[in-house]
Amino acid sequence: MIDLAQGRILVTGGAGFIGSALVWELNRRGFQNILIADFLGETEKWKNLAPLRFVDYLEADSLLDLVKESSYLLSDIRTIFHLGACSSTTETDAAYLIHNNYEYSKTLAHFALESGRRYVYASSAATYGARESGLSENLPLSRLRPLNMYAYSKHLFDCYAESINMLGRITGIKYFNVYGPNENHKGEMRSVVNKAFNQIGNTGRVSLFKSYRPDYPDGAQRRDFLYVMDAVAATVFLAEQVDGGGLFNVGSGEAHTWLELAHAIFIAMGKEQRIDFIDMPEQLRGRYQYFTRADIAKLRAAGFTQSFTPLRKGVSDYVQAYLQPDLHLGD
């Protein structure tokens, strides 16, 4: 077992969605020995940090400089959660994604392993590409075909780590469709729960994509939705209990329809259900996934026995405890 109280904990992307939720979870467990790195820029991510407890903050480019210099300022770091990345699935600047997602991950991974540090990083379920079944970590990486440059930048690091026999000594987490508090800054990359909450609040209605497959009625497309509290609980568990282990799916292991999700949001808001089905953009139709469900057998075999929050309960908590009162984790 890894003792997270030994030395400092570095959380990259710690002002972001899952990153700030991870810091909140660490705080909840009594840990404050945390160094956060992120790019705050002109966003309002700083609001995610305000209620959290940590010892220091660095801009991510400053952190990278310190790593390359082998600075003594980082000598007491024993555990690294590398969650920082550009997560936009519509980003088209491949050079930026290679530098920010792939090369940064490589540099931090070598820094961690050369000094015996624990390294847990965010891969992505998007690396599975268009697959709609058998979403298991046992799939050979060479068989995966990501659908966008973001997913490819994540896949590229997974492949690199495997090629130099590093993957078994680190832990990569393939998060599925995560929703929950602290995602307001993400713009178009926010979860459908967040977007629908605002849409329903403004218009009383929500829009879902039509189906273009006869085996799926409109709104019956399915996703593995995961409440962020469950995502970070599994992340901390893997950091503490698993020595390396390679890639792990972190999802609920269940698939729910968009209609079920929308219904849960309307109930949580106390609104009458009004749903419009709209045309899907042409550029999405050929690469749209109609079904995702995480195979979580490996996560369970590692000893993570916690139950995942049921969809309706998670949506209700998110809407009523965070979105409606406009609160962040820790407020």
Side-chain angles (χ1 to χ4, degrees):
M1 180 174 178
I2 305 298
D3 184 359
L4 296 180
Q6 296 299 311
R8 277 196 295 173
I9 301 166
L10 169 62
V11 181
T12 71
F17 173 33
I18 299 178
S20 62
L22 175 65
V23 175
W24 170 83
E25 176 68 11
L26 291 169
N27 286 170
R28 195 178 69 85
R29 299 182 186 211
F31 299 110
Q32 301 183 35
N33 53 328
I34 302 166
L35 168 63
I36 292 176
D38 210 320
F39 289 113
L40 289 182
E42 297 181 359
T43 72
E44 294 196 337
K45 285 194 288 187
W46 64 269
K47 291 183 178 180
N48 292 339
L49 294 179
L52 304 178
R53 300 184 300 280
F54 51 95
V55 294
D56 204 358
Y57 171 85
L58 282 173
E59 281 288 293
D61 51 357
S62 298
L63 171 66
L64 195 60
D65 289 341
L66 292 175
V67 168
K68 291 177 178 178
E69 295 166 6
S70 299
S71 172
Y72 73 93
L73 295 173
L74 305 179
S75 61
D76 62 344
I77 290 173
R78 305 311 308 160
T79 304
I80 298 173
F81 292 96
H82 178 41
L83 305 184
C86 171
S87 60
S88 173
T89 58
T90 58
E91 177 60 62
T92 58
D93 188 340
Y96 167 69
L97 288 169
I98 288 295
H99 174 72
N100 189 72
N101 292 5
Y102 174 57
E103 293 179 356
Y104 206 117
S105 296
K106 285 172 59 180
T107 300
L108 271 186
H110 284 287
F111 167 72
L113 294 183
E114 287 164 5
S115 303
R117 298 177 171 97
R118 184 78 175 90
Y119 187 69
V120 179
Y121 73 97
S123 179
S124 173
T127 59
Y128 287 120
R131 288 179 174 273
E132 294 182 351
S133 63
L135 303 185
S136 167
E137 308 92 334
N138 294 326
L139 283 168
L141 295 179
S142 61
R143 291 173 55 188
L144 303 186
R145 297 292 182 270
L147 295 176
N148 54 63
M149 187 58 210
Y150 156 72
Y152 181 66
S153 70
K154 290 294 189 178
H155 176 64
L156 195 60
F157 176 74
D158 294 344
C159 292
Y160 171 79
E162 182 180 61
S163 71
I164 63 167
N165 298 316
M166 176 192 285
L167 192 57
R169 295 184 288 154
I170 60 181
T171 302
I173 299 180
K174 294 195 173 194
Y175 295 110
F176 278 67
N177 291 73
V178 184
Y179 68 93
N182 290 21
E183 62 170 324
N184 286 340
H185 64 280
K186 290 175 65 66
E188 285 304 306
M189 294 299 109
R190 289 171 297 152
S191 72
V192 171
V193 181
N194 188 293
K195 291 180 182 179
F197 170 81
N198 288 287
Q199 191 176 25
I200 294 167
N202 292 331
T203 69
R205 312 182 70 87
V206 70
S207 298
L208 300 176
F209 284 142
K210 294 177 181 177
S211 171
Y212 293 84
R213 282 172 43 174
D215 52 333
Y216 283 89
D218 291 340
Q221 307 97 316
R222 292 177 176 267
R223 290 286 184 278
D224 187 328
F225 300 109
L226 179 69
Y227 200 23
V228 71
M229 278 73 157
D230 297 329
V232 295
T235 301
V236 174
F237 170 84
L238 288 171
E240 290 183 321
Q241 303 293 337
V242 179
D243 185 13
L247 295 167
F248 286 84
N249 286 337
V250 173
S252 70
E254 296 185 14
H256 292 277
T257 68
W258 290 111
L259 284 174
E260 289 177 278
L261 182 71
H263 186 56
I265 299 167
F266 279 108
I267 290 175
M269 295 180 69
K271 303 279 189 179
E272 182 181 348
Q273 182 167 294
R274 293 188 173 94
I275 298 173
D276 299 314
F277 291 101
I278 61 173
D279 291 330
M280 187 184 299
E282 286 283 350
Q283 64 269 27
L284 289 182
R285 293 183 193 180
R287 52 194 180 96
Y288 181 83
Q289 286 176 289
Y290 279 71
F291 185 95
T292 65
R293 182 175 61 205
D295 179 342
I296 57 172
K298 184 177 178 181
L299 178 65
R300 291 304 194 197
F304 186 72
T305 58
Q306 177 178 316
S307 298
F308 291 100
T309 306
L311 181 64
R312 185 174 292 186
K313 182 178 179 181
V315 168
S316 177
D317 185 64
Y318 182 23
V319 168
Q320 296 175 5
Y322 297 97
L323 289 175
Q324 287 179 332
D326 191 22
L327 294 177
H328 296 76
L329 285 167
D331 281 334

